[in-house]
Amino acid sequence: MNKNVFLLACCQGLITTGNILLVTISALVGQRLSPSESFTTFPVAMQMFGLLLATIPASWIMARVGRKVGFSIGNSMGLCGTILGFYSLQIDEFWLFSASTWLIGIGIGFATLYRFAAIEASDNASTALSAVMVAVVSSLLSLDQTWRFGLIIIIRTLTTPMCLLP
């Protein structure tokens, strides 16, 4: 299997795990920090809104400037959101945390295209798609351990090396 297919499959698995962890954590943080009970799931909604807004423009950007630049933009947005989220939790700021989940959602919107990049990078599309599915399932199976050790920030930053693909 092509090295790039393997890397892209791993990134797809990691972003799937990070997305599930963020949905869970966002609701818990929202419950603790929100000014009202009605805003408890607002950070989750912001994440989904960011993902929704970014998916189609991400494909346009990647078609225009290439996948490497597109993934770099998306990972930069997600990494900025992660840093902002960490800071917002340090100062207990609900609205800032909601903004950070929106940025992370944008990063996830770009990252949903990893599977298509893996198919394009492979000589055999079915092998690439199988590798992506195995990576996603493996990541989800390891979710319990990931949750236990609190590696959500590391999951977000592990996808950053995608910028280094040739």
Side-chain angles (χ1 to χ4, degrees), residues 1-148:
M1 178 181 352
N2 183 329
K3 177 184 99 169
N4 287 344
V5 172
F6 176 76
L7 288 173
L8 288 162
C10 288
C11 288
Q12 182 70 52
L14 288 170
I15 201 66
T16 301
T17 304
N19 189 8
I20 293 169
L21 285 171
L22 184 61
V23 167
T24 305
I25 289 171
S26 294
L28 295 172
V29 169
Q31 183 180 22
R32 191 180 71 115
L33 294 181
S34 68
S36 165
E37 274 187 27
S38 60
F39 288 110
T40 298
T41 58
F42 186 72
V44 178
M46 290 300 291
Q47 176 192 351
M48 295 304 150
F49 187 59
L51 191 150
L52 173 77
L53 287 178
T55 304
I56 292 174
S59 64
W60 290 339
I61 290 169
M62 289 185 195
R64 208 176 295 289
V65 297
R67 295 222 184 258
K68 183 178 179 181
V69 173
F71 286 135
S72 296
I73 292 168
N75 286 329
S76 297
M77 296 292 281
L79 191 56
C80 288
T82 302
I83 293 167
L84 185 63
F86 178 76
Y87 176 70
S88 69
L89 291 175
Q90 297 297 312
I91 62 171
D92 289 338
E93 177 56 46
F94 175 77
W95 300 110
L96 196 59
F97 180 74
S98 297
S100 75
T101 60
W102 181 72
L103 287 172
I104 293 171
I106 291 172
I108 293 169
F110 277 80
T112 58
L113 301 174
Y114 283 141
R115 63 185 181 274
F116 300 116
I119 291 169
E120 289 176 4
S122 176
D123 296 333
N124 186 347
S126 60
T127 303
L129 195 53
S130 297
V132 169
M133 291 294 105
V134 166
V136 168
V137 170
S138 299
S139 292
L140 293 176
L141 291 175
S142 69
L143 186 60
D144 180 51
Q145 294 301 318
T146 306
W147 174 261
R148 220 172 267 175

